Amino acid sequence: DIVMTQSPDSLAVSLGERATINCKSSQSVLYTSNNKNYLAWYQQKPGQPPKLLIYWASTRESGVPDRFSGSGSGTDFTLTISSLQAEDVAVYYCQQYYNTPITFGQGTRLEIK
Amino acid sequence: QVQLVQSGAEVKKPGASVKVSCKASGYTFTSYGISWVRQAPGQGLEWMGWISGNNGNTNYAQKLQGRVTMTTVTSTSTAYMELRSLRSDDTAVFYCARAPRTTIRGPLDYWGQGTRVTVSS
């Protein structure tokens, strides 16, 4: 199984500041034949299902604010929130869909400082 | 708009089975698959498996093989997940999510509201 490891486990950032969450996979999730990274990011608020933010490592889902961006390739990925808003308080998960079983990171809890 | 509406909460005894439904609307059911993901209390997300909405092909997480069955009824655009021989550590919120039609290799773009299953004697 591909193990997804996120860092940090929790993060407190001031409103308007940048938040950065890292995700590392135990093996590459880059499919060289199409040069796509099979990596997504989700946001989960309390009592709600996860919401897709980013897929193919850097493609923003329709309707997601442009302060959210994804980057990275191979085994190392980053989710960046450029200017934290109060509504961004949530747990964030990375997910690989390169291989079965699909696996998620353990989650990063983002709070306001 | 795309919606996935799941069945209500369940309480089961150890050793019993549970069957959760997920009714899709707002898109062509047979053009996508459904993945099932569970989340134990206070824990992260665990993928359980995937079923094609087109031909019923499945791909189950190995740790659940033999205990889980995923099915679809295309006439009602509904997916089902049955988990048997329930244990206390199966207590979780179970989610269905829209997936690619022919493969697990794609993001999960719409999610159901979740179904809480509690396993307790």
Side-chain angles (χ1 to χ4, degrees):
Chain A
D1 298 5
I2 298 177
V3 177
M4 308 299 290
T5 304
Q6 294 180 225
S7 61
D9 289 334
S10 62
L11 180 61
V13 174
S14 301
L15 289 173
E17 295 300 304
R18 177 184 301 260
T20 301
I21 299 170
N22 300 300
C23 174
K24 188 173 184 68
S25 57
S26 61
Q27 64 188 74
S28 176
V29 298
L30 173 63
Y31 192 42
T32 52
S33 66
N34 61 10
N35 201 36
K36 285 187 171 183
N37 288 283
Y38 284 55
L39 188 285
W41 289 95
Y42 298 85
Q43 174 194 66
Q44 187 178 32
K45 297 181 179 180
Q48 295 185 19
K51 174 188 174 184
L52 177 65
L53 296 176
I54 303 284
Y55 56 98
W56 305 126
S58 60
T59 302
R60 197 179 304 113
E61 173 72 337
S62 174
V64 173
D66 62 7
R67 63 179 181 274
F68 290 91
S69 63
S71 63
S73 184
T75 61
D76 292 280
F77 301 91
T78 300
L79 174 70
T80 301
I81 307 172
S82 60
S83 177
L84 189 71
Q85 305 299 303
E87 62 264 31
D88 300 336
V89 169
V91 178
Y92 292 83
Y93 294 94
C94 61
Q95 174 219 18
Q96 66 81 17
Y97 46 91
Y98 180 87
N99 210 355
T100 185
I102 288 172
T103 48
F104 295 86
Q106 79 276 17
T108 295
R109 186 174 304 275
L110 178 58
E111 299 171 335
I112 305 293
K113 185 187 291 182
Chain B
Q1 72 284 20
V2 173
Q3 279 195 303
L4 298 172
V5 178
Q6 298 183 222
S7 49
E10 304 259 14
V11 179
K12 297 291 183 181
K13 293 195 183 302
S17 299
V18 69
K19 192 169 186 177
V20 179
S21 67
C22 170
K23 183 170 177 60
S25 61
Y27 71 96
T28 301
F29 184 76
T30 52
S31 295
Y32 291 85
I34 293 285
S35 269
W36 290 88
V37 175
R38 68 179 177 177
Q39 186 169 36
Q43 302 301 307
L45 303 169
E46 179 186 16
W47 180 78
M48 301 177 67
W50 163 92
I51 183 166
S52 170
N54 181 42
N55 57 19
N57 284 351
T58 55
N59 184 325
Y60 299 143
Q62 189 167 9
K63 70 173 287 188
L64 294 173
Q65 287 273 5
R67 284 210 301 142
V68 68
T69 301
M70 295 176 188
T71 56
T72 59
V73 176
T74 55
S75 62
T76 60
S77 300
T78 304
Y80 297 89
M81 184 285 300
E82 181 180 34
L83 188 61
R84 299 176 293 278
S85 302
L86 289 168
R87 308 186 290 249
S88 58
D89 62 357
D90 290 318
T91 294
V93 176
F94 291 74
Y95 295 103
C96 62
R98 195 176 76 164
R101 178 172 61 93
T102 59
T103 174
I104 63 138
R105 305 181 86 196
L108 305 177
D109 59 357
Y110 289 92
W111 294 62
Q113 83 277 18
T115 297
R116 184 174 302 278
V117 175
T118 302
V119 183
S120 173
S121 54

